[in-house]
Amino acid sequence: MSAELLYSKDHEWVRVESDGVAVIGVTDFAAEQLGDVVYVDLPEAGSDIAAGTEMGEIESTKSVSDLFSPIDGTVTEVNDAVVDAPELVNSSPFEEGWLIKASFDSLPDDLLSAEEYKALTQS
Protein backbone atom coordinates (compact mmCIF):
# COMPACT_ATOMS: atom_id res chain seq x y z
CA MET A 1 0.00 0.00 0.00
CA SER A 2 1.40 3.36 -0.98
CA ALA A 3 0.94 6.60 0.96
CA GLU A 4 0.90 8.47 -2.36
CA LEU A 5 -2.32 6.80 -3.52
CA LEU A 6 -5.93 7.55 -2.68
CA TYR A 7 -8.36 4.73 -1.95
CA SER A 8 -12.09 4.13 -2.27
CA LYS A 9 -14.23 2.26 0.24
CA ASP A 10 -14.93 -0.17 -2.62
CA HIS A 11 -11.20 -1.14 -2.60
CA GLU A 12 -10.00 0.67 -5.69
CA TRP A 13 -6.88 2.82 -5.64
CA VAL A 14 -6.28 6.08 -7.50
CA ARG A 15 -2.90 7.46 -8.50
CA VAL A 16 -3.11 11.01 -9.82
CA GLU A 17 -0.73 11.77 -12.65
CA SER A 18 0.48 15.29 -13.20
CA ASP A 19 -1.48 15.84 -16.40
CA GLY A 20 -4.97 15.48 -14.89
CA VAL A 21 -5.16 11.78 -15.55
CA ALA A 22 -5.68 9.20 -12.83
CA VAL A 23 -4.59 5.59 -12.89
CA ILE A 24 -7.08 3.23 -11.23
CA GLY A 25 -6.66 -0.32 -9.95
CA VAL A 26 -7.85 -2.62 -7.20
CA THR A 27 -6.00 -2.86 -3.92
CA ASP A 28 -3.91 -5.78 -2.74
CA PHE A 29 -6.49 -6.26 0.04
CA ALA A 30 -9.25 -6.72 -2.56
CA ALA A 31 -7.05 -8.98 -4.68
CA GLU A 32 -6.37 -11.19 -1.67
CA GLN A 33 -10.07 -11.31 -0.78
CA LEU A 34 -11.01 -12.22 -4.35
CA GLY A 35 -8.52 -15.04 -4.71
CA ASP A 36 -7.06 -15.89 -8.11
CA VAL A 37 -8.38 -13.38 -10.63
CA VAL A 38 -9.25 -15.08 -13.93
CA TYR A 39 -11.12 -12.38 -15.89
CA VAL A 40 -11.63 -8.63 -15.92
CA ASP A 41 -14.25 -6.68 -17.87
CA LEU A 42 -13.25 -3.04 -18.20
CA PRO A 43 -14.87 0.01 -19.82
CA GLU A 44 -13.66 0.99 -23.27
CA ALA A 45 -11.48 4.03 -23.89
CA GLY A 46 -13.73 7.04 -24.39
CA SER A 47 -16.37 5.78 -21.93
CA ASP A 48 -17.58 8.09 -19.21
CA ILE A 49 -17.33 6.79 -15.67
CA ALA A 50 -19.02 8.12 -12.55
CA ALA A 51 -17.87 7.82 -8.97
CA GLY A 52 -19.64 5.05 -7.09
CA THR A 53 -21.14 3.44 -10.18
CA GLU A 54 -20.26 0.16 -11.86
CA MET A 55 -17.52 0.36 -14.46
CA GLY A 56 -16.84 -3.34 -15.01
CA GLU A 57 -16.49 -6.76 -13.44
CA ILE A 58 -13.72 -8.82 -11.96
CA GLU A 59 -14.00 -12.59 -11.80
CA SER A 60 -11.95 -14.85 -9.59
CA THR A 61 -11.99 -18.53 -8.80
CA LYS A 62 -14.20 -17.60 -5.82
CA SER A 63 -16.71 -15.12 -7.22
CA VAL A 64 -17.66 -12.39 -9.68
CA SER A 65 -17.62 -8.84 -8.31
CA ASP A 66 -18.55 -5.48 -9.73
CA LEU A 67 -15.84 -2.88 -10.19
CA PHE A 68 -16.89 0.59 -9.06
CA SER A 69 -15.35 3.77 -10.35
CA PRO A 70 -13.74 5.86 -7.62
CA ILE A 71 -13.93 9.07 -9.70
CA ASP A 72 -15.96 10.92 -12.32
CA GLY A 73 -14.16 11.08 -15.65
CA THR A 74 -13.52 9.66 -19.08
CA VAL A 75 -11.51 6.51 -19.72
CA THR A 76 -8.40 7.40 -21.70
CA GLU A 77 -6.62 4.04 -21.66
CA VAL A 78 -7.33 0.43 -20.74
CA ASN A 79 -4.55 -1.85 -19.53
CA ASP A 80 -4.59 -4.50 -22.26
CA ALA A 81 -1.92 -6.45 -20.36
CA VAL A 82 -4.29 -7.08 -17.45
CA VAL A 83 -7.10 -8.03 -19.86
CA ASP A 84 -4.79 -10.63 -21.43
CA ALA A 85 -3.29 -11.72 -18.09
CA PRO A 86 -5.82 -11.00 -15.29
CA GLU A 87 -3.52 -12.64 -12.75
CA LEU A 88 -1.53 -9.38 -12.79
CA VAL A 89 -4.21 -8.03 -10.41
CA ASN A 90 -2.96 -10.56 -7.85
CA SER A 91 0.77 -10.46 -8.58
CA SER A 92 1.22 -6.71 -9.08
CA PRO A 93 -1.95 -4.81 -8.05
CA PHE A 94 -0.25 -1.40 -7.77
CA GLU A 95 2.09 -1.61 -10.77
CA GLU A 96 1.47 -3.93 -13.73
CA GLY A 97 -2.07 -4.79 -12.61
CA TRP A 98 -3.58 -1.31 -12.99
CA LEU A 99 -6.93 -1.32 -14.78
CA ILE A 100 -7.65 1.99 -16.50
CA LYS A 101 -6.49 5.56 -16.86
CA ALA A 102 -9.12 8.28 -16.82
CA SER A 103 -9.15 12.04 -17.24
CA PHE A 104 -10.95 13.98 -14.54
CA ASP A 105 -11.80 17.51 -13.48
CA SER A 106 -11.93 17.00 -9.72
CA LEU A 107 -11.67 14.17 -7.23
CA PRO A 108 -14.49 13.12 -4.89
CA ASP A 109 -14.10 14.19 -1.28
CA ASP A 110 -14.71 10.67 0.02
CA LEU A 111 -11.47 9.12 -1.23
CA LEU A 112 -9.35 7.83 1.64
CA SER A 113 -5.70 8.30 2.54
CA ALA A 114 -3.53 5.21 2.94
CA GLU A 115 -3.88 5.47 6.71
CA GLU A 116 -7.68 5.75 6.51
CA TYR A 117 -7.88 2.83 4.09
CA LYS A 118 -5.68 0.70 6.32
CA ALA A 119 -8.00 1.44 9.24
CA LEU A 120 -11.01 0.49 7.07
CA THR A 121 -9.53 -2.88 6.10
CA GLN A 122 -8.49 -3.71 9.66
CA SER A 123 -11.90 -3.04 11.19
Side-chain angles (χ1 to χ4, degrees):
M1 184 180 317
S2 171
E4 297 176 6
L5 303 178
L6 296 170
Y7 301 87
S8 75
K9 292 178 183 173
D10 294 316
H11 308 291
E12 283 87 18
W13 56 262
V14 177
R15 182 177 60 233
V16 176
E17 294 190 337
S18 60
D19 59 357
V21 173
V23 183
I24 298 169
V26 296
T27 66
D28 55 348
F29 175 82
E32 286 178 24
Q33 295 296 310
L34 287 165
D36 294 333
V37 175
V38 295
Y39 177 75
V40 292
D41 179 37
L42 302 173
E44 295 180 14
S47 301
D48 290 332
I49 54 175
T53 64
E54 185 182 329
M55 67 174 193
E57 288 184 342
I58 189 165
E59 182 177 345
S60 71
T61 54
K62 291 182 180 177
S63 65
V64 177
S65 300
D66 292 330
L67 287 169
F68 294 97
S69 176
I71 65 171
D72 294 331
T74 302
V75 177
T76 59
E77 186 177 344
V78 175
N79 185 358
D80 291 330
V82 83
V83 173
D84 293 340
E87 62 272 15
L88 289 173
V89 172
N90 295 108
S91 64
S92 183
F94 297 108
E95 299 297 331
E96 296 175 54
W98 63 273
L99 301 177
I100 62 169
K101 294 183 179 182
S103 62
F104 66 95
D105 291 327
S106 64
L107 295 174
D109 293 335
D110 63 350
L111 292 177
L112 307 173
S113 68
E115 191 171 296
E116 292 167 329
Y117 182 72
K118 185 176 179 181
L120 174 75
T121 58
Q122 292 179 342
S123 60

mmCIF file of all heavy atoms in Angstrom, residues 12-57:
data_model
loop_
_atom_site.group_PDB
_atom_site.id
_atom_site.type_symbol
_atom_site.label_atom_id
_atom_site.label_comp_id
_atom_site.label_asym_id
_atom_site.label_seq_id
_atom_site.Cartn_x
_atom_site.Cartn_y
_atom_site.Cartn_z
ATOM 1 N N GLU A 12 -10.784 0.269 -4.532
ATOM 2 C CA GLU A 12 -9.998 0.671 -5.689
ATOM 3 C C GLU A 12 -8.978 1.710 -5.229
ATOM 4 O O GLU A 12 -9.208 2.421 -4.258
ATOM 5 C CB GLU A 12 -10.873 1.295 -6.793
ATOM 6 C CG GLU A 12 -11.655 0.299 -7.600
ATOM 7 C CD GLU A 12 -12.988 -0.047 -6.971
ATOM 8 O OE1 GLU A 12 -13.460 0.715 -6.112
ATOM 9 O OE2 GLU A 12 -13.556 -1.092 -7.318
ATOM 10 N N TRP A 13 -7.855 1.783 -5.933
ATOM 11 C CA TRP A 13 -6.878 2.822 -5.643
ATOM 12 C C TRP A 13 -6.819 3.795 -6.814
ATOM 13 O O TRP A 13 -7.162 3.445 -7.948
ATOM 14 C CB TRP A 13 -5.490 2.253 -5.317
ATOM 15 C CG TRP A 13 -4.878 1.347 -6.351
ATOM 16 C CD1 TRP A 13 -4.881 -0.017 -6.345
ATOM 17 C CD2 TRP A 13 -4.169 1.744 -7.547
ATOM 18 N NE1 TRP A 13 -4.239 -0.492 -7.453
ATOM 19 C CE2 TRP A 13 -3.773 0.556 -8.203
ATOM 20 C CE3 TRP A 13 -3.827 2.961 -8.123
ATOM 21 C CZ2 TRP A 13 -3.062 0.565 -9.403
ATOM 22 C CZ3 TRP A 13 -3.118 2.986 -9.309
ATOM 23 C CH2 TRP A 13 -2.755 1.807 -9.936
ATOM 24 N N VAL A 14 -6.377 5.015 -6.508
ATOM 25 C CA VAL A 14 -6.281 6.077 -7.504
ATOM 26 C C VAL A 14 -4.909 6.730 -7.369
ATOM 27 O O VAL A 14 -4.529 7.159 -6.284
ATOM 28 C CB VAL A 14 -7.362 7.161 -7.278
ATOM 29 C CG1 VAL A 14 -7.204 8.295 -8.283
ATOM 30 C CG2 VAL A 14 -8.753 6.562 -7.339
ATOM 31 N N ARG A 15 -4.173 6.743 -8.467
ATOM 32 C CA ARG A 15 -2.901 7.464 -8.502
ATOM 33 C C ARG A 15 -3.054 8.626 -9.474
ATOM 34 O O ARG A 15 -3.289 8.425 -10.669
ATOM 35 C CB ARG A 15 -1.751 6.548 -8.941
ATOM 36 C CG ARG A 15 -0.395 7.288 -8.923
ATOM 37 C CD ARG A 15 0.781 6.391 -9.289
ATOM 38 N NE ARG A 15 0.639 5.836 -10.610
ATOM 39 C CZ ARG A 15 0.723 4.531 -10.892
ATOM 40 N NH1 ARG A 15 0.951 3.657 -9.956
ATOM 41 N NH2 ARG A 15 0.581 4.106 -12.138
ATOM 42 N N VAL A 16 -2.949 9.825 -8.980
ATOM 43 C CA VAL A 16 -3.113 11.009 -9.818
ATOM 44 C C VAL A 16 -1.804 11.293 -10.533
ATOM 45 O O VAL A 16 -0.749 11.385 -9.902
ATOM 46 C CB VAL A 16 -3.530 12.221 -8.969
ATOM 47 C CG1 VAL A 16 -3.601 13.475 -9.834
ATOM 48 C CG2 VAL A 16 -4.862 11.952 -8.288
ATOM 49 N N GLU A 17 -1.899 11.407 -11.866
ATOM 50 C CA GLU A 17 -0.731 11.770 -12.651
ATOM 51 C C GLU A 17 -0.746 13.286 -12.849
ATOM 52 O O GLU A 17 -1.768 13.929 -12.722
ATOM 53 C CB GLU A 17 -0.733 11.031 -13.978
ATOM 54 C CG GLU A 17 -0.574 9.532 -13.770
ATOM 55 C CD GLU A 17 -0.335 8.773 -15.064
ATOM 56 O OE1 GLU A 17 -0.704 9.289 -16.145
ATOM 57 O OE2 GLU A 17 0.190 7.685 -14.973
ATOM 58 N N SER A 18 0.357 13.830 -13.157
ATOM 59 C CA SER A 18 0.482 15.286 -13.201
ATOM 60 C C SER A 18 -0.352 15.954 -14.281
ATOM 61 O O SER A 18 -0.649 17.135 -14.192
ATOM 62 C CB SER A 18 1.948 15.668 -13.378
ATOM 63 O OG SER A 18 2.436 15.133 -14.573
ATOM 64 N N ASP A 19 -0.762 15.218 -15.296
ATOM 65 C CA ASP A 19 -1.480 15.837 -16.397
ATOM 66 C C ASP A 19 -2.995 15.714 -16.288
ATOM 67 O O ASP A 19 -3.696 15.758 -17.271
ATOM 68 C CB ASP A 19 -0.994 15.259 -17.723
ATOM 69 C CG ASP A 19 -1.178 13.744 -17.802
ATOM 70 O OD1 ASP A 19 -1.630 13.137 -16.801
ATOM 71 O OD2 ASP A 19 -0.878 13.174 -18.852
ATOM 72 N N GLY A 20 -3.534 15.551 -15.071
ATOM 73 C CA GLY A 20 -4.971 15.477 -14.891
ATOM 74 C C GLY A 20 -5.559 14.134 -15.250
ATOM 75 O O GLY A 20 -6.749 14.013 -15.518
ATOM 76 N N VAL A 21 -4.727 13.138 -15.269
ATOM 77 C CA VAL A 21 -5.158 11.778 -15.546
ATOM 78 C C VAL A 21 -4.879 10.935 -14.316
ATOM 79 O O VAL A 21 -3.822 11.057 -13.700
ATOM 80 C CB VAL A 21 -4.434 11.199 -16.779
ATOM 81 C CG1 VAL A 21 -4.762 9.726 -16.966
ATOM 82 C CG2 VAL A 21 -4.805 11.985 -18.027
ATOM 83 N N ALA A 22 -5.840 10.086 -13.969
ATOM 84 C CA ALA A 22 -5.677 9.198 -12.832
ATOM 85 C C ALA A 22 -5.566 7.758 -13.310
ATOM 86 O O ALA A 22 -6.236 7.360 -14.254
ATOM 87 C CB ALA A 22 -6.866 9.321 -11.885
ATOM 88 N N VAL A 23 -4.713 7.014 -12.662
ATOM 89 C CA VAL A 23 -4.587 5.586 -12.892
ATOM 90 C C VAL A 23 -5.399 4.901 -11.796
ATOM 91 O O VAL A 23 -5.329 5.300 -10.638
ATOM 92 C CB VAL A 23 -3.119 5.133 -12.832
ATOM 93 C CG1 VAL A 23 -3.012 3.639 -13.139
ATOM 94 C CG2 VAL A 23 -2.271 5.948 -13.781
ATOM 95 N N ILE A 24 -6.180 3.895 -12.175
ATOM 96 C CA ILE A 24 -7.077 3.229 -11.229
ATOM 97 C C ILE A 24 -6.814 1.723 -11.251
ATOM 98 O O ILE A 24 -6.630 1.127 -12.304
ATOM 99 C CB ILE A 24 -8.550 3.510 -11.612
ATOM 100 C CG1 ILE A 24 -8.821 5.015 -11.524
ATOM 101 C CG2 ILE A 24 -9.503 2.719 -10.727
ATOM 102 C CD1 ILE A 24 -10.152 5.439 -12.125
ATOM 103 N N GLY A 25 -6.813 1.134 -10.073
ATOM 104 C CA GLY A 25 -6.661 -0.317 -9.949
ATOM 105 C C GLY A 25 -7.395 -0.803 -8.721
ATOM 106 O O GLY A 25 -8.057 -0.025 -8.029
ATOM 107 N N VAL A 26 -7.278 -2.088 -8.428
ATOM 108 C CA VAL A 26 -7.854 -2.623 -7.200
ATOM 109 C C VAL A 26 -6.714 -2.866 -6.214
ATOM 110 O O VAL A 26 -5.587 -3.153 -6.606
ATOM 111 C CB VAL A 26 -8.670 -3.914 -7.424
ATOM 112 C CG1 VAL A 26 -9.869 -3.656 -8.299
ATOM 113 C CG2 VAL A 26 -7.823 -5.021 -7.999
ATOM 114 N N THR A 27 -7.023 -2.760 -4.951
ATOM 115 C CA THR A 27 -5.995 -2.860 -3.922
ATOM 116 C C THR A 27 -5.535 -4.304 -3.716
ATOM 117 O O THR A 27 -6.233 -5.252 -4.093
ATOM 118 C CB THR A 27 -6.514 -2.319 -2.582
ATOM 119 O OG1 THR A 27 -7.558 -3.172 -2.124
ATOM 120 C CG2 THR A 27 -7.001 -0.895 -2.725
ATOM 121 N N ASP A 28 -4.391 -4.445 -3.078
ATOM 122 C CA ASP A 28 -3.908 -5.779 -2.743
ATOM 123 C C ASP A 28 -4.858 -6.472 -1.768
ATOM 124 O O ASP A 28 -5.043 -7.684 -1.833
ATOM 125 C CB ASP A 28 -2.482 -5.729 -2.200
ATOM 126 C CG ASP A 28 -2.321 -4.805 -1.013
ATOM 127 O OD1 ASP A 28 -3.232 -4.005 -0.710
ATOM 128 O OD2 ASP A 28 -1.253 -4.875 -0.371
ATOM 129 N N PHE A 29 -5.506 -5.691 -0.892
ATOM 130 C CA PHE A 29 -6.486 -6.262 0.038
ATOM 131 C C PHE A 29 -7.618 -6.911 -0.754
ATOM 132 O O PHE A 29 -8.007 -8.052 -0.496
ATOM 133 C CB PHE A 29 -7.039 -5.175 0.966
ATOM 134 C CG PHE A 29 -8.145 -5.652 1.868
ATOM 135 C CD1 PHE A 29 -7.860 -6.314 3.045
ATOM 136 C CD2 PHE A 29 -9.477 -5.447 1.530
ATOM 137 C CE1 PHE A 29 -8.878 -6.773 3.872
ATOM 138 C CE2 PHE A 29 -10.507 -5.901 2.353
ATOM 139 C CZ PHE A 29 -10.196 -6.566 3.526
ATOM 140 N N ALA A 30 -8.152 -6.181 -1.740
ATOM 141 C CA ALA A 30 -9.247 -6.718 -2.561
ATOM 142 C C ALA A 30 -8.782 -7.932 -3.350
ATOM 143 O O ALA A 30 -9.506 -8.928 -3.447
ATOM 144 C CB ALA A 30 -9.776 -5.645 -3.504
ATOM 145 N N ALA A 31 -7.579 -7.859 -3.901
ATOM 146 C CA ALA A 31 -7.054 -8.976 -4.681
ATOM 147 C C ALA A 31 -6.931 -10.232 -3.818
ATOM 148 O O ALA A 31 -7.269 -11.331 -4.251
ATOM 149 C CB ALA A 31 -5.714 -8.609 -5.299
ATOM 150 N N GLU A 32 -6.491 -10.050 -2.583
ATOM 151 C CA GLU A 32 -6.371 -11.194 -1.672
ATOM 152 C C GLU A 32 -7.743 -11.759 -1.328
ATOM 153 O O GLU A 32 -7.926 -12.974 -1.251
ATOM 154 C CB GLU A 32 -5.649 -10.773 -0.394
ATOM 155 C CG GLU A 32 -4.169 -10.564 -0.575
ATOM 156 C CD GLU A 32 -3.491 -10.100 0.705
ATOM 157 O OE1 GLU A 32 -4.024 -10.367 1.803
ATOM 158 O OE2 GLU A 32 -2.442 -9.461 0.591
ATOM 159 N N GLN A 33 -8.719 -10.861 -1.115
ATOM 160 C CA GLN A 33 -10.067 -11.308 -0.778
ATOM 161 C C GLN A 33 -10.724 -12.045 -1.949
ATOM 162 O O GLN A 33 -11.478 -12.990 -1.737
ATOM 163 C CB GLN A 33 -10.942 -10.112 -0.376
ATOM 164 C CG GLN A 33 -10.490 -9.411 0.889
ATOM 165 C CD GLN A 33 -10.583 -10.287 2.120
ATOM 166 O OE1 GLN A 33 -11.610 -10.893 2.377
ATOM 167 N NE2 GLN A 33 -9.500 -10.377 2.867
ATOM 168 N N LEU A 34 -10.427 -11.599 -3.170
ATOM 169 C CA LEU A 34 -11.011 -12.215 -4.351
ATOM 170 C C LEU A 34 -10.454 -13.607 -4.614
ATOM 171 O O LEU A 34 -11.147 -14.481 -5.116
ATOM 172 C CB LEU A 34 -10.762 -11.343 -5.587
ATOM 173 C CG LEU A 34 -11.576 -10.064 -5.690
ATOM 174 C CD1 LEU A 34 -10.977 -9.145 -6.751
ATOM 175 C CD2 LEU A 34 -13.021 -10.402 -6.024
ATOM 176 N N GLY A 35 -9.187 -13.809 -4.313
ATOM 177 C CA GLY A 35 -8.515 -15.044 -4.712
ATOM 178 C C GLY A 35 -7.934 -14.866 -6.104
ATOM 179 O O GLY A 35 -7.707 -13.735 -6.554
ATOM 180 N N ASP A 36 -7.706 -15.956 -6.795
ATOM 181 C CA ASP A 36 -7.060 -15.890 -8.107
ATOM 182 C C ASP A 36 -7.986 -15.259 -9.136
ATOM 183 O O ASP A 36 -9.032 -15.814 -9.473
ATOM 184 C CB ASP A 36 -6.659 -17.291 -8.571
ATOM 185 C CG ASP A 36 -5.581 -17.897 -7.687
ATOM 186 O OD1 ASP A 36 -4.802 -17.129 -7.092
ATOM 187 O OD2 ASP A 36 -5.528 -19.139 -7.590
ATOM 188 N N VAL A 37 -7.581 -14.086 -9.637
ATOM 189 C CA VAL A 37 -8.381 -13.375 -10.634
ATOM 190 C C VAL A 37 -8.191 -14.052 -11.986
ATOM 191 O O VAL A 37 -7.061 -14.297 -12.419
ATOM 192 C CB VAL A 37 -7.990 -11.877 -10.694
ATOM 193 C CG1 VAL A 37 -8.733 -11.175 -11.819
ATOM 194 C CG2 VAL A 37 -8.268 -11.217 -9.351
ATOM 195 N N VAL A 38 -9.312 -14.358 -12.653
ATOM 196 C CA VAL A 38 -9.249 -15.084 -13.928
ATOM 197 C C VAL A 38 -9.826 -14.277 -15.095
ATOM 198 O O VAL A 38 -9.652 -14.663 -16.255
ATOM 199 C CB VAL A 38 -9.962 -16.446 -13.827
ATOM 200 C CG1 VAL A 38 -9.242 -17.355 -12.840
ATOM 201 C CG2 VAL A 38 -11.427 -16.281 -13.444
ATOM 202 N N TYR A 39 -10.514 -13.158 -14.812
ATOM 203 C CA TYR A 39 -11.121 -12.378 -15.893
ATOM 204 C C TYR A 39 -11.429 -10.978 -15.389
ATOM 205 O O TYR A 39 -11.859 -10.813 -14.242
ATOM 206 C CB TYR A 39 -12.428 -13.051 -16.341
ATOM 207 C CG TYR A 39 -13.178 -12.305 -17.408
ATOM 208 C CD1 TYR A 39 -12.749 -12.305 -18.728
ATOM 209 C CD2 TYR A 39 -14.322 -11.571 -17.085
ATOM 210 C CE1 TYR A 39 -13.447 -11.604 -19.702
ATOM 211 C CE2 TYR A 39 -15.020 -10.876 -18.067
ATOM 212 C CZ TYR A 39 -14.575 -10.896 -19.366
ATOM 213 O OH TYR A 39 -15.256 -10.205 -20.323
ATOM 214 N N VAL A 40 -11.203 -9.988 -16.235
ATOM 215 C CA VAL A 40 -11.630 -8.627 -15.918
ATOM 216 C C VAL A 40 -12.371 -8.061 -17.118
ATOM 217 O O VAL A 40 -11.999 -8.291 -18.263
ATOM 218 C CB VAL A 40 -10.456 -7.681 -15.544
ATOM 219 C CG1 VAL A 40 -9.834 -8.080 -14.219
ATOM 220 C CG2 VAL A 40 -9.411 -7.627 -16.625
ATOM 221 N N ASP A 41 -13.458 -7.372 -16.849
ATOM 222 C CA ASP A 41 -14.248 -6.682 -17.873
ATOM 223 C C ASP A 41 -14.146 -5.204 -17.563
ATOM 224 O O ASP A 41 -14.607 -4.768 -16.505
ATOM 225 C CB ASP A 41 -15.699 -7.157 -17.820
ATOM 226 C CG ASP A 41 -16.564 -6.444 -18.838
ATOM 227 O OD1 ASP A 41 -16.075 -6.164 -19.950
ATOM 228 O OD2 ASP A 41 -17.731 -6.156 -18.515
ATOM 229 N N LEU A 42 -13.515 -4.448 -18.454
ATOM 230 C CA LEU A 42 -13.245 -3.040 -18.201
ATOM 231 C C LEU A 42 -13.968 -2.159 -19.217
ATOM 232 O O LEU A 42 -14.263 -2.603 -20.328
ATOM 233 C CB LEU A 42 -11.731 -2.785 -18.284
ATOM 234 C CG LEU A 42 -10.877 -3.600 -17.317
ATOM 235 C CD1 LEU A 42 -9.399 -3.383 -17.601
ATOM 236 C CD2 LEU A 42 -11.210 -3.223 -15.881
ATOM 237 N N PRO A 43 -14.231 -0.902 -18.860
ATOM 238 C CA PRO A 43 -14.873 0.006 -19.820
ATOM 239 C C PRO A 43 -13.914 0.320 -20.974
ATOM 240 O O PRO A 43 -12.689 0.259 -20.818
ATOM 241 C CB PRO A 43 -15.160 1.251 -18.973
ATOM 242 C CG PRO A 43 -14.154 1.205 -17.876
ATOM 243 C CD PRO A 43 -13.918 -0.249 -17.592
ATOM 244 N N GLU A 44 -14.479 0.657 -22.106
ATOM 245 C CA GLU A 44 -13.658 0.992 -23.274
ATOM 246 C C GLU A 44 -13.129 2.415 -23.166
ATOM 247 O O GLU A 44 -13.753 3.272 -22.520
ATOM 248 C CB GLU A 44 -14.490 0.865 -24.544
ATOM 249 C CG GLU A 44 -14.932 -0.543 -24.839
ATOM 250 C CD GLU A 44 -15.756 -0.627 -26.120
ATOM 251 O OE1 GLU A 44 -15.758 0.337 -26.894
ATOM 252 O OE2 GLU A 44 -16.389 -1.671 -26.308
ATOM 253 N N ALA A 45 -12.012 2.674 -23.815
ATOM 254 C CA ALA A 45 -11.481 4.027 -23.890
ATOM 255 C C ALA A 45 -12.547 4.938 -24.503
ATOM 256 O O ALA A 45 -13.231 4.549 -25.458
ATOM 257 C CB ALA A 45 -10.208 4.053 -24.726
ATOM 258 N N GLY A 46 -12.719 6.103 -23.933
ATOM 259 C CA GLY A 46 -13.733 7.041 -24.390
ATOM 260 C C GLY A 46 -15.016 6.975 -23.583
ATOM 261 O O GLY A 46 -15.867 7.856 -23.692
ATOM 262 N N SER A 47 -15.166 5.921 -22.763
ATOM 263 C CA SER A 47 -16.369 5.779 -21.931
ATOM 264 C C SER A 47 -16.320 6.748 -20.762
ATOM 265 O O SER A 47 -15.262 6.982 -20.182
ATOM 266 C CB SER A 47 -16.452 4.362 -21.361
ATOM 267 O OG SER A 47 -16.489 3.409 -22.366
ATOM 268 N N ASP A 48 -17.478 7.278 -20.415
ATOM 269 C CA ASP A 48 -17.581 8.094 -19.213
ATOM 270 C C ASP A 48 -17.782 7.181 -18.013
ATOM 271 O O ASP A 48 -18.516 6.189 -18.105
ATOM 272 C CB ASP A 48 -18.748 9.080 -19.325
ATOM 273 C CG ASP A 48 -18.476 10.176 -20.336
ATOM 274 O OD1 ASP A 48 -17.298 10.518 -20.559
ATOM 275 O OD2 ASP A 48 -19.448 10.678 -20.928
ATOM 276 N N ILE A 49 -17.154 7.527 -16.913
ATOM 277 C CA ILE A 49 -17.331 6.787 -15.666
ATOM 278 C C ILE A 49 -17.761 7.780 -14.594
ATOM 279 O O ILE A 49 -17.435 8.968 -14.663
ATOM 280 C CB ILE A 49 -16.042 6.048 -15.244
ATOM 281 C CG1 ILE A 49 -14.836 7.008 -15.163
ATOM 282 C CG2 ILE A 49 -15.744 4.890 -16.186
ATOM 283 C CD1 ILE A 49 -13.563 6.368 -14.647
ATOM 284 N N ALA A 50 -18.514 7.267 -13.621
ATOM 285 C CA ALA A 50 -19.016 8.124 -12.549
ATOM 286 C C ALA A 50 -18.695 7.485 -11.200
ATOM 287 O O ALA A 50 -18.857 6.272 -11.029
ATOM 288 C CB ALA A 50 -20.522 8.323 -12.680
ATOM 289 N N ALA A 51 -18.250 8.308 -10.288
ATOM 290 C CA ALA A 51 -17.869 7.823 -8.968
ATOM 291 C C ALA A 51 -19.007 7.042 -8.323
ATOM 292 O O ALA A 51 -20.153 7.489 -8.319
ATOM 293 C CB ALA A 51 -17.471 8.985 -8.074
ATOM 294 N N GLY A 52 -18.673 5.868 -7.799
ATOM 295 C CA GLY A 52 -19.637 5.048 -7.091
ATOM 296 C C GLY A 52 -20.513 4.181 -7.964
ATOM 297 O O GLY A 52 -21.360 3.447 -7.458
ATOM 298 N N THR A 53 -20.328 4.262 -9.287
ATOM 299 C CA THR A 53 -21.136 3.439 -10.183
ATOM 300 C C THR A 53 -20.282 2.343 -10.818
ATOM 301 O O THR A 53 -19.060 2.466 -10.904
ATOM 302 C CB THR A 53 -21.801 4.274 -11.297
ATOM 303 O OG1 THR A 53 -20.780 4.835 -12.118
ATOM 304 C CG2 THR A 53 -22.656 5.374 -10.705
ATOM 305 N N GLU A 54 -20.950 1.313 -11.278
ATOM 306 C CA GLU A 54 -20.264 0.161 -11.858
ATOM 307 C C GLU A 54 -19.531 0.557 -13.131
ATOM 308 O O GLU A 54 -20.083 1.234 -13.987
ATOM 309 C CB GLU A 54 -21.293 -0.927 -12.142
ATOM 310 C CG GLU A 54 -20.691 -2.212 -12.642
ATOM 311 C CD GLU A 54 -21.759 -3.240 -12.961
ATOM 312 O OE1 GLU A 54 -22.814 -3.240 -12.302
ATOM 313 O OE2 GLU A 54 -21.531 -4.028 -13.893
ATOM 314 N N MET A 55 -18.279 0.103 -13.235
ATOM 315 C CA MET A 55 -17.516 0.356 -14.458
ATOM 316 C C MET A 55 -17.020 -0.935 -15.091
ATOM 317 O O MET A 55 -16.397 -0.902 -16.150
ATOM 318 C CB MET A 55 -16.334 1.288 -14.183
ATOM 319 C CG MET A 55 -15.260 0.709 -13.309
ATOM 320 S SD MET A 55 -13.848 1.834 -13.197
ATOM 321 C CE MET A 55 -12.630 0.735 -12.466
ATOM 322 N N GLY A 56 -17.281 -2.070 -14.465
ATOM 323 C CA GLY A 56 -16.842 -3.341 -15.013
ATOM 324 C C GLY A 56 -17.019 -4.455 -14.008
ATOM 325 O O GLY A 56 -17.696 -4.279 -12.989
ATOM 326 N N GLU A 57 -16.419 -5.596 -14.336
ATOM 327 C CA GLU A 57 -16.489 -6.756 -13.438
ATOM 328 C C GLU A 57 -15.116 -7.382 -13.308
ATOM 329 O O GLU A 57 -14.280 -7.278 -14.210
ATOM 330 C CB GLU A 57 -17.446 -7.819 -13.997
ATOM 331 C CG GLU A 57 -18.886 -7.464 -13.917
ATOM 332 C CD GLU A 57 -19.778 -8.611 -14.391
ATOM 333 O OE1 GLU A 57 -19.304 -9.533 -15.082
ATOM 334 O OE2 GLU A 57 -20.955 -8.549 -14.065
#
